[in-house]
Structure formats: structure tokens, C-alpha cells
PDB file of all heavy atoms in Angstrom:
ATOM      1  N   ARG U   1       0.852  -1.216   0.025  1.00 91.00           N
ATOM      2  CA  ARG U   1      -0.083  -0.035   0.035  1.00 91.00           C
ATOM      3  C   ARG U   1       0.925   1.240  -0.012  1.00 91.00           C
ATOM      4  O   ARG U   1       1.923   1.235   0.683  1.00 91.00           O
ATOM      5  CB  ARG U   1      -0.940  -0.017   1.257  1.00 91.00           C
ATOM      6  CG  ARG U   1      -1.807   1.225   1.308  1.00 91.00           C
ATOM      7  CD  ARG U   1      -2.622   1.228   2.577  1.00 91.00           C
ATOM      8  NE  ARG U   1      -1.835   1.396   3.813  1.00 91.00           N
ATOM      9  CZ  ARG U   1      -1.496   2.612   4.249  1.00 91.00           C
ATOM     10  NH1 ARG U   1      -1.812   3.660   3.564  1.00 91.00           N
ATOM     11  NH2 ARG U   1      -0.805   2.692   5.403  1.00 91.00           N
ATOM     12  N   LYS U   2       0.445   2.236  -0.677  1.00 89.00           N
ATOM     13  CA  LYS U   2       1.207   3.519  -0.701  1.00 89.00           C
ATOM     14  C   LYS U   2       0.657   4.395   0.367  1.00 89.00           C
ATOM     15  O   LYS U   2      -0.410   4.869   0.280  1.00 89.00           O
ATOM     16  CB  LYS U   2       1.129   4.176  -2.039  1.00 89.00           C
ATOM     17  CG  LYS U   2       1.961   5.482  -2.215  1.00 89.00           C
ATOM     18  CD  LYS U   2       1.973   6.072  -3.562  1.00 89.00           C
ATOM     19  CE  LYS U   2       2.719   5.165  -4.543  1.00 89.00           C
ATOM     20  NZ  LYS U   2       4.218   5.139  -4.205  1.00 89.00           N
ATOM     21  N   ASP U   3       1.532   4.639   1.411  1.00 89.00           N
ATOM     22  CA  ASP U   3       1.125   5.464   2.509  1.00 89.00           C
ATOM     23  C   ASP U   3       1.563   6.892   2.169  1.00 89.00           C
ATOM     24  O   ASP U   3       2.637   7.143   1.602  1.00 89.00           O
ATOM     25  CB  ASP U   3       1.772   5.019   3.792  1.00 89.00           C
ATOM     26  CG  ASP U   3       1.422   5.840   5.037  1.00 89.00           C
ATOM     27  OD1 ASP U   3       0.406   5.518   5.558  1.00 89.00           O
ATOM     28  OD2 ASP U   3       2.233   6.824   5.309  1.00 89.00           O
ATOM     29  N   PRO U   4       0.750   7.879   2.482  1.00 85.00           N
ATOM     30  CA  PRO U   4       1.071   9.265   2.167  1.00 85.00           C
ATOM     31  C   PRO U   4       2.381   9.741   2.771  1.00 85.00           C
ATOM     32  O   PRO U   4       3.058  10.596   2.054  1.00 85.00           O
ATOM     33  CB  PRO U   4      -0.141  10.055   2.753  1.00 85.00           C
ATOM     34  CG  PRO U   4      -1.281   9.062   2.839  1.00 85.00           C
ATOM     35  CD  PRO U   4      -0.548   7.730   3.083  1.00 85.00           C
ATOM     36  N   LYS U   5       2.779   9.249   3.877  1.00 91.00           N
ATOM     37  CA  LYS U   5       4.053   9.713   4.607  1.00 91.00           C
ATOM     38  C   LYS U   5       5.069   8.760   4.512  1.00 91.00           C
ATOM     39  O   LYS U   5       6.327   9.171   4.279  1.00 91.00           O
ATOM     40  CB  LYS U   5       3.744   9.941   6.000  1.00 91.00           C
ATOM     41  CG  LYS U   5       2.709  11.151   6.296  1.00 91.00           C
ATOM     42  CD  LYS U   5       2.623  11.275   7.840  1.00 91.00           C
ATOM     43  CE  LYS U   5       1.605  12.405   8.137  1.00 91.00           C
ATOM     44  NZ  LYS U   5       1.402  12.599   9.634  1.00 91.00           N
ATOM     45  N   LEU U   6       4.858   7.421   4.429  1.00 95.00           N
ATOM     46  CA  LEU U   6       5.903   6.396   4.445  1.00 95.00           C
ATOM     47  C   LEU U   6       6.251   5.819   2.943  1.00 95.00           C
ATOM     48  O   LEU U   6       7.248   5.185   2.862  1.00 95.00           O
ATOM     49  CB  LEU U   6       5.515   5.297   5.342  1.00 95.00           C
ATOM     50  CG  LEU U   6       5.252   5.732   6.796  1.00 95.00           C
ATOM     51  CD1 LEU U   6       4.828   4.474   7.596  1.00 95.00           C
ATOM     52  CD2 LEU U   6       6.510   6.326   7.379  1.00 95.00           C
ATOM     53  N   GLY U   7       5.311   6.085   2.071  1.00 94.00           N
ATOM     54  CA  GLY U   7       5.537   5.464   0.754  1.00 94.00           C
ATOM     55  C   GLY U   7       5.108   4.099   0.579  1.00 94.00           C
ATOM     56  O   GLY U   7       4.039   3.699   1.462  1.00 94.00           O
ATOM     57  N   ASP U   8       5.697   3.249  -0.125  1.00 96.00           N
ATOM     58  CA  ASP U   8       5.237   1.893  -0.316  1.00 96.00           C
ATOM     59  C   ASP U   8       5.605   1.011   0.994  1.00 96.00           C
ATOM     60  O   ASP U   8       6.700   0.844   1.314  1.00 96.00           O
ATOM     61  CB  ASP U   8       5.904   1.257  -1.561  1.00 96.00           C
ATOM     62  CG  ASP U   8       5.341   1.768  -2.823  1.00 96.00           C
ATOM     63  OD1 ASP U   8       4.250   2.387  -2.763  1.00 96.00           O
ATOM     64  OD2 ASP U   8       5.975   1.609  -3.928  1.00 96.00           O
ATOM     65  N   ILE U   9       4.541   0.470   1.556  1.00 97.00           N
ATOM     66  CA  ILE U   9       4.770  -0.384   2.771  1.00 97.00           C
ATOM     67  C   ILE U   9       3.976  -1.678   2.616  1.00 97.00           C
ATOM     68  O   ILE U   9       2.937  -1.668   1.911  1.00 97.00           O
ATOM     69  CB  ILE U   9       4.327   0.359   4.074  1.00 97.00           C
ATOM     70  CG1 ILE U   9       2.887   0.801   3.999  1.00 97.00           C
ATOM     71  CG2 ILE U   9       5.303   1.586   4.300  1.00 97.00           C
ATOM     72  CD1 ILE U   9       2.447   1.473   5.342  1.00 97.00           C
ATOM     73  N   ILE U  10       4.303  -2.730   3.342  1.00 97.00           N
ATOM     74  CA  ILE U  10       3.603  -3.934   3.234  1.00 97.00           C
ATOM     75  C   ILE U  10       2.434  -3.934   4.255  1.00 97.00           C
ATOM     76  O   ILE U  10       2.443  -3.488   5.372  1.00 97.00           O
ATOM     77  CB  ILE U  10       4.554  -5.143   3.635  1.00 97.00           C
ATOM     78  CG1 ILE U  10       5.673  -5.132   2.625  1.00 97.00           C
ATOM     79  CG2 ILE U  10       3.769  -6.471   3.649  1.00 97.00           C
ATOM     80  CD1 ILE U  10       6.724  -6.332   2.861  1.00 97.00           C
ATOM     81  N   VAL U  11       1.197  -4.527   3.752  1.00 95.00           N
ATOM     82  CA  VAL U  11       0.136  -4.734   4.669  1.00 95.00           C
ATOM     83  C   VAL U  11      -0.312  -6.216   4.547  1.00 95.00           C
ATOM     84  O   VAL U  11      -0.038  -6.832   3.618  1.00 95.00           O
ATOM     85  CB  VAL U  11      -1.039  -3.761   4.235  1.00 95.00           C
ATOM     86  CG1 VAL U  11      -0.726  -2.292   4.349  1.00 95.00           C
ATOM     87  CG2 VAL U  11      -1.475  -4.045   2.722  1.00 95.00           C
ATOM     88  N   ASP U  12      -1.106  -6.631   5.668  1.00 95.00           N
ATOM     89  CA  ASP U  12      -1.572  -7.936   5.668  1.00 95.00           C
ATOM     90  C   ASP U  12      -3.000  -8.018   4.910  1.00 95.00           C
ATOM     91  O   ASP U  12      -3.404  -7.141   4.269  1.00 95.00           O
ATOM     92  CB  ASP U  12      -1.645  -8.528   7.110  1.00 95.00           C
ATOM     93  CG  ASP U  12      -2.737  -7.816   7.848  1.00 95.00           C
ATOM     94  OD1 ASP U  12      -3.511  -7.030   7.311  1.00 95.00           O
ATOM     95  OD2 ASP U  12      -2.888  -8.228   9.057  1.00 95.00           O
ATOM     96  N   LYS U  13      -3.582  -9.244   5.011  1.00 90.00           N
ATOM     97  CA  LYS U  13      -4.865  -9.570   4.240  1.00 90.00           C
ATOM     98  C   LYS U  13      -5.963  -8.579   4.783  1.00 90.00           C
ATOM     99  O   LYS U  13      -6.939  -8.425   4.016  1.00 90.00           O
ATOM    100  CB  LYS U  13      -5.284 -10.871   4.444  1.00 90.00           C
ATOM    101  CG  LYS U  13      -5.591 -11.320   5.866  1.00 90.00           C
ATOM    102  CD  LYS U  13      -5.991 -12.761   5.961  1.00 90.00           C
ATOM    103  CE  LYS U  13      -6.224 -13.161   7.382  1.00 90.00           C
ATOM    104  NZ  LYS U  13      -6.662 -14.635   7.514  1.00 90.00           N
ATOM    105  N   ASN U  14      -5.837  -7.911   5.844  1.00 85.00           N
ATOM    106  CA  ASN U  14      -6.822  -7.012   6.424  1.00 85.00           C
ATOM    107  C   ASN U  14      -6.524  -5.628   6.102  1.00 85.00           C
ATOM    108  O   ASN U  14      -7.169  -4.659   6.599  1.00 85.00           O
ATOM    109  CB  ASN U  14      -7.039  -7.231   7.868  1.00 85.00           C
ATOM    110  CG  ASN U  14      -7.551  -8.632   8.259  1.00 85.00           C
ATOM    111  OD1 ASN U  14      -8.492  -9.174   7.529  1.00 85.00           O
ATOM    112  ND2 ASN U  14      -6.883  -9.281   9.208  1.00 85.00           N
ATOM    113  N   GLY U  15      -5.384  -5.318   5.441  1.00 87.00           N
ATOM    114  CA  GLY U  15      -4.980  -4.013   5.146  1.00 87.00           C
ATOM    115  C   GLY U  15      -4.157  -3.337   6.290  1.00 87.00           C
ATOM    116  O   GLY U  15      -3.919  -2.196   6.201  1.00 87.00           O
ATOM    117  N   MET U  16      -3.854  -4.118   7.294  1.00 92.00           N
ATOM    118  CA  MET U  16      -3.169  -3.677   8.449  1.00 92.00           C
ATOM    119  C   MET U  16      -1.578  -3.581   8.186  1.00 92.00           C
ATOM    120  O   MET U  16      -1.019  -4.444   7.580  1.00 92.00           O
ATOM    121  CB  MET U  16      -3.380  -4.436   9.685  1.00 92.00           C
ATOM    122  CG  MET U  16      -4.896  -4.586  10.117  1.00 92.00           C
ATOM    123  SD  MET U  16      -5.774  -3.027  10.252  1.00 92.00           S
ATOM    124  CE  MET U  16      -5.044  -2.575  11.863  1.00 92.00           C
ATOM    125  N   THR U  17      -1.043  -2.404   8.660  1.00 96.00           N
ATOM    126  CA  THR U  17       0.422  -2.224   8.378  1.00 96.00           C
ATOM    127  C   THR U  17       1.215  -3.326   9.083  1.00 96.00           C
ATOM    128  O   THR U  17       0.942  -3.813  10.175  1.00 96.00           O
ATOM    129  CB  THR U  17       0.812  -0.841   9.000  1.00 96.00           C
ATOM    130  OG1 THR U  17      -0.009   0.166   8.312  1.00 96.00           O
ATOM    131  CG2 THR U  17       2.265  -0.596   8.716  1.00 96.00           C
ATOM    132  N   VAL U  18       2.214  -3.750   8.365  1.00 98.00           N
ATOM    133  CA  VAL U  18       3.199  -4.842   8.801  1.00 98.00           C
ATOM    134  C   VAL U  18       4.461  -4.162   9.308  1.00 98.00           C
ATOM    135  O   VAL U  18       5.016  -3.110   8.651  1.00 98.00           O
ATOM    136  CB  VAL U  18       3.518  -5.806   7.715  1.00 98.00           C
ATOM    137  CG1 VAL U  18       4.693  -6.700   7.977  1.00 98.00           C
ATOM    138  CG2 VAL U  18       2.247  -6.694   7.445  1.00 98.00           C
ATOM    139  N   TYR U  19       5.090  -4.615  10.353  1.00 98.00           N
ATOM    140  CA  TYR U  19       6.276  -4.007  11.011  1.00 98.00           C
ATOM    141  C   TYR U  19       7.459  -5.040  11.183  1.00 98.00           C
ATOM    142  O   TYR U  19       7.171  -6.209  11.207  1.00 98.00           O
ATOM    143  CB  TYR U  19       5.917  -3.376  12.379  1.00 98.00           C
ATOM    144  CG  TYR U  19       4.894  -2.354  12.381  1.00 98.00           C
ATOM    145  CD1 TYR U  19       3.551  -2.673  12.427  1.00 98.00           C
ATOM    146  CD2 TYR U  19       5.207  -1.020  12.137  1.00 98.00           C
ATOM    147  CE1 TYR U  19       2.558  -1.667  12.435  1.00 98.00           C
ATOM    148  CE2 TYR U  19       4.260  -0.067  12.144  1.00 98.00           C
ATOM    149  CZ  TYR U  19       2.902  -0.348  12.264  1.00 98.00           C
ATOM    150  OH  TYR U  19       1.960   0.591  12.194  1.00 98.00           O
ATOM    151  N   ARG U  20       8.582  -4.479  11.379  1.00 98.00           N
ATOM    152  CA  ARG U  20       9.771  -5.255  11.777  1.00 98.00           C
ATOM    153  C   ARG U  20      10.315  -4.700  13.030  1.00 98.00           C
ATOM    154  O   ARG U  20      10.159  -3.603  13.415  1.00 98.00           O
ATOM    155  CB  ARG U  20      10.924  -5.018  10.659  1.00 98.00           C
ATOM    156  CG  ARG U  20      11.029  -6.136   9.623  1.00 98.00           C
ATOM    157  CD  ARG U  20      12.103  -5.909   8.648  1.00 98.00           C
ATOM    158  NE  ARG U  20      13.379  -5.555   9.391  1.00 98.00           N
ATOM    159  CZ  ARG U  20      14.528  -5.241   8.759  1.00 98.00           C
ATOM    160  NH1 ARG U  20      14.606  -5.175   7.485  1.00 98.00           N
ATOM    161  NH2 ARG U  20      15.569  -4.987   9.483  1.00 98.00           N
ATOM    162  N   PHE U  21      11.005  -5.649  13.803  1.00 98.00           N
ATOM    163  CA  PHE U  21      11.611  -5.291  15.098  1.00 98.00           C
ATOM    164  C   PHE U  21      13.128  -5.370  14.883  1.00 98.00           C
ATOM    165  O   PHE U  21      13.714  -6.355  14.456  1.00 98.00           O
ATOM    166  CB  PHE U  21      11.202  -6.436  16.081  1.00 98.00           C
ATOM    167  CG  PHE U  21      11.602  -6.176  17.505  1.00 98.00           C
ATOM    168  CD1 PHE U  21      11.721  -4.854  18.041  1.00 98.00           C
ATOM    169  CD2 PHE U  21      11.758  -7.232  18.412  1.00 98.00           C
ATOM    170  CE1 PHE U  21      12.121  -4.599  19.350  1.00 98.00           C
ATOM    171  CE2 PHE U  21      12.049  -7.011  19.741  1.00 98.00           C
ATOM    172  CZ  PHE U  21      12.249  -5.708  20.163  1.00 98.00           C
ATOM    173  N   ALA U  22      13.795  -4.310  15.293  1.00 97.00           N
ATOM    174  CA  ALA U  22      15.133  -4.115  15.174  1.00 97.00           C
ATOM    175  C   ALA U  22      16.051  -5.141  15.920  1.00 97.00           C
ATOM    176  O   ALA U  22      17.200  -5.368  15.546  1.00 97.00           O
ATOM    177  CB  ALA U  22      15.648  -2.691  15.485  1.00 97.00           C
ATOM    178  N   LYS U  23      15.502  -5.671  16.900  1.00 97.00           N
ATOM    179  CA  LYS U  23      16.252  -6.726  17.848  1.00 97.00           C
ATOM    180  C   LYS U  23      16.084  -8.095  17.272  1.00 97.00           C
ATOM    181  O   LYS U  23      16.655  -9.056  17.830  1.00 97.00           O
ATOM    182  CB  LYS U  23      15.764  -6.600  19.209  1.00 97.00           C
ATOM    183  CG  LYS U  23      16.036  -5.195  19.897  1.00 97.00           C
ATOM    184  CD  LYS U  23      15.574  -5.183  21.293  1.00 97.00           C
ATOM    185  CE  LYS U  23      15.819  -3.784  21.923  1.00 97.00           C
ATOM    186  NZ  LYS U  23      17.225  -3.465  21.862  1.00 97.00           N
ATOM    187  N   ASP U  24      15.212  -8.333  16.174  1.00 97.00           N
ATOM    188  CA  ASP U  24      15.203  -9.621  15.585  1.00 97.00           C
ATOM    189  C   ASP U  24      16.506  -9.845  14.724  1.00 97.00           C
ATOM    190  O   ASP U  24      17.310  -8.929  14.544  1.00 97.00           O
ATOM    191  CB  ASP U  24      13.981  -9.739  14.558  1.00 97.00           C
ATOM    192  CG  ASP U  24      12.715  -9.863  15.435  1.00 97.00           C
ATOM    193  OD1 ASP U  24      12.693 -10.069  16.657  1.00 97.00           O
ATOM    194  OD2 ASP U  24      11.608  -9.747  14.802  1.00 97.00           O
ATOM    195  N   GLN U  25      16.580 -11.033  14.146  1.00 96.00           N
ATOM    196  CA  GLN U  25      17.623 -11.291  13.148  1.00 96.00           C
ATOM    197  C   GLN U  25      17.100 -12.138  11.920  1.00 96.00           C
ATOM    198  O   GLN U  25      16.119 -12.815  12.062  1.00 96.00           O
ATOM    199  CB  GLN U  25      18.871 -12.144  13.855  1.00 96.00           C
ATOM    200  CG  GLN U  25      18.546 -13.608  14.138  1.00 96.00           C
ATOM    201  CD  GLN U  25      19.699 -14.403  14.588  1.00 96.00           C
ATOM    202  OE1 GLN U  25      20.617 -13.833  15.298  1.00 96.00           O
ATOM    203  NE2 GLN U  25      19.930 -15.608  14.154  1.00 96.00           N
ATOM    204  N   ALA U  26      17.838 -11.929  10.881  1.00 95.00           N
ATOM    205  CA  ALA U  26      17.440 -12.542   9.628  1.00 95.00           C
ATOM    206  C   ALA U  26      18.559 -13.522   9.145  1.00 95.00           C
ATOM    207  O   ALA U  26      18.306 -14.376   8.322  1.00 95.00           O
ATOM    208  CB  ALA U  26      17.108 -11.576   8.542  1.00 95.00           C
ATOM    209  N   TRP U  27      19.768 -13.287   9.626  1.00 89.00           N
ATOM    210  CA  TRP U  27      20.895 -14.001   9.169  1.00 89.00           C
ATOM    211  C   TRP U  27      21.708 -14.605  10.353  1.00 89.00           C
ATOM    212  O   TRP U  27      21.844 -13.938  11.393  1.00 89.00           O
ATOM    213  CB  TRP U  27      21.864 -13.168   8.364  1.00 89.00           C
ATOM    214  CG  TRP U  27      22.978 -13.798   7.726  1.00 89.00           C
ATOM    215  CD1 TRP U  27      23.022 -14.435   6.536  1.00 89.00           C
ATOM    216  CD2 TRP U  27      24.251 -14.094   8.249  1.00 89.00           C
ATOM    217  NE1 TRP U  27      24.252 -14.907   6.222  1.00 89.00           N
ATOM    218  CE2 TRP U  27      25.038 -14.744   7.362  1.00 89.00           C
ATOM    219  CE3 TRP U  27      24.801 -13.707   9.559  1.00 89.00           C
ATOM    220  CZ2 TRP U  27      26.340 -15.149   7.627  1.00 89.00           C
ATOM    221  CZ3 TRP U  27      26.146 -14.108   9.787  1.00 89.00           C
ATOM    222  CH2 TRP U  27      26.884 -14.798   8.762  1.00 89.00           C
ATOM    223  N   PRO U  28      22.149 -15.874  10.374  1.00 91.00           N
ATOM    224  CA  PRO U  28      21.999 -16.891   9.244  1.00 91.00           C
ATOM    225  C   PRO U  28      20.721 -17.491   9.172  1.00 91.00           C
ATOM    226  O   PRO U  28      20.318 -18.278   8.283  1.00 91.00           O
ATOM    227  CB  PRO U  28      23.113 -17.894   9.579  1.00 91.00           C
ATOM    228  CG  PRO U  28      23.136 -17.887  11.130  1.00 91.00           C
ATOM    229  CD  PRO U  28      22.970 -16.417  11.432  1.00 91.00           C
ATOM    230  N   VAL U  29      19.728 -17.270  10.302  1.00 93.00           N
ATOM    231  CA  VAL U  29      18.456 -17.844  10.209  1.00 93.00           C
ATOM    232  C   VAL U  29      17.490 -16.759  10.833  1.00 93.00           C
ATOM    233  O   VAL U  29      17.923 -15.901  11.462  1.00 93.00           O
ATOM    234  CB  VAL U  29      18.251 -19.138  11.023  1.00 93.00           C
ATOM    235  CG1 VAL U  29      19.068 -20.256  10.378  1.00 93.00           C
ATOM    236  CG2 VAL U  29      18.714 -18.919  12.454  1.00 93.00           C
ATOM    237  N   SER U  30      16.277 -16.867  10.439  1.00 96.00           N
ATOM    238  CA  SER U  30      15.154 -15.938  11.032  1.00 96.00           C
ATOM    239  C   SER U  30      15.066 -16.240  12.551  1.00 96.00           C
ATOM    240  O   SER U  30      14.936 -17.368  12.945  1.00 96.00           O
ATOM    241  CB  SER U  30      13.894 -16.148  10.294  1.00 96.00           C
ATOM    242  OG  SER U  30      14.028 -15.899   8.908  1.00 96.00           O
ATOM    243  N   LYS U  31      15.069 -15.185  13.302  1.00 96.00           N
ATOM    244  CA  LYS U  31      14.864 -15.433  14.762  1.00 96.00           C
ATOM    245  C   LYS U  31      14.214 -14.174  15.329  1.00 96.00           C
ATOM    246  O   LYS U  31      14.499 -13.025  15.057  1.00 96.00           O
ATOM    247  CB  LYS U  31      16.244 -15.507  15.439  1.00 96.00           C
ATOM    248  CG  LYS U  31      16.183 -15.840  16.917  1.00 96.00           C
ATOM    249  CD  LYS U  31      17.536 -16.070  17.510  1.00 96.00           C
ATOM    250  CE  LYS U  31      17.392 -16.445  19.017  1.00 96.00           C
ATOM    251  NZ  LYS U  31      18.764 -16.641  19.638  1.00 96.00           N
ATOM    252  N   SER U  32      13.156 -14.436  16.142  1.00 97.00           N
ATOM    253  CA  SER U  32      12.459 -13.396  16.734  1.00 97.00           C
ATOM    254  C   SER U  32      12.796 -13.202  18.124  1.00 97.00           C
ATOM    255  O   SER U  32      12.900 -14.110  18.914  1.00 97.00           O
ATOM    256  CB  SER U  32      10.838 -13.674  16.624  1.00 97.00           C
ATOM    257  OG  SER U  32      10.122 -12.868  17.437  1.00 97.00           O
ATOM    258  N   ALA U  33      12.937 -11.858  18.491  1.00 96.00           N
ATOM    259  CA  ALA U  33      13.284 -11.513  19.897  1.00 96.00           C
ATOM    260  C   ALA U  33      12.046 -11.027  20.567  1.00 96.00           C
ATOM    261  O   ALA U  33      12.192 -10.551  21.755  1.00 96.00           O
ATOM    262  CB  ALA U  33      14.376 -10.428  19.861  1.00 96.00           C
ATOM    263  N   CYS U  34      10.877 -11.124  19.936  1.00 97.00           N
ATOM    264  CA  CYS U  34       9.639 -10.639  20.492  1.00 97.00           C
ATOM    265  C   CYS U  34       8.871 -11.861  21.011  1.00 97.00           C
ATOM    266  O   CYS U  34       8.285 -12.664  20.265  1.00 97.00           O
ATOM    267  CB  CYS U  34       8.769  -9.903  19.445  1.00 97.00           C
ATOM    268  SG  CYS U  34       7.230  -9.310  20.024  1.00 97.00           S
ATOM    269  N   THR U  35       8.846 -11.932  22.405  1.00 94.00           N
ATOM    270  CA  THR U  35       8.070 -13.077  23.036  1.00 94.00           C
ATOM    271  C   THR U  35       7.274 -12.580  24.184  1.00 94.00           C
ATOM    272  O   THR U  35       7.365 -11.427  24.526  1.00 94.00           O
ATOM    273  CB  THR U  35       9.159 -14.164  23.516  1.00 94.00           C
ATOM    274  OG1 THR U  35      10.027 -13.529  24.500  1.00 94.00           O
ATOM    275  CG2 THR U  35      10.035 -14.725  22.418  1.00 94.00           C
TER     276      THR U  35
END
């Protein structure tokens, strides 16, 4: 979705904005620090 302030951002099936957490990791494997 194109947000007026943020530009192109990802949304889910309900149109809700999707976010990332800076304390997570993607390499060498995906890992969530949010529990």
C-alpha cells in the first residue's frame, strides 16, 4: 500500500500495516526476539 507519509509499505490481508523489530535477526536464520 502507498502510505502518504511512508511511501510503499507492506500490509496484511486485512490491510493492516506490517512491521519489523530491530532486535530480531534474519541471518543466518530468522529469529524473533519478541516473546
Side-chain angles (χ1 to χ4, degrees):
R1 178 179 70 81
K2 183 173 290 295
D3 183 85
K5 296 181 178 179
L6 303 178
D8 288 344
I9 60 174
I10 299 177
V11 297
D12 69 3
K13 63 181 180 181
N14 299 312
M16 305 302 289
T17 303
V18 166
Y19 299 90
R20 264 183 46 184
F21 186 28
K23 297 182 182 298
D24 287 350
Q25 72 172 39
W27 184 92
V29 292
S30 302
K31 184 177 181 180
S32 170
C34 180
T35 59

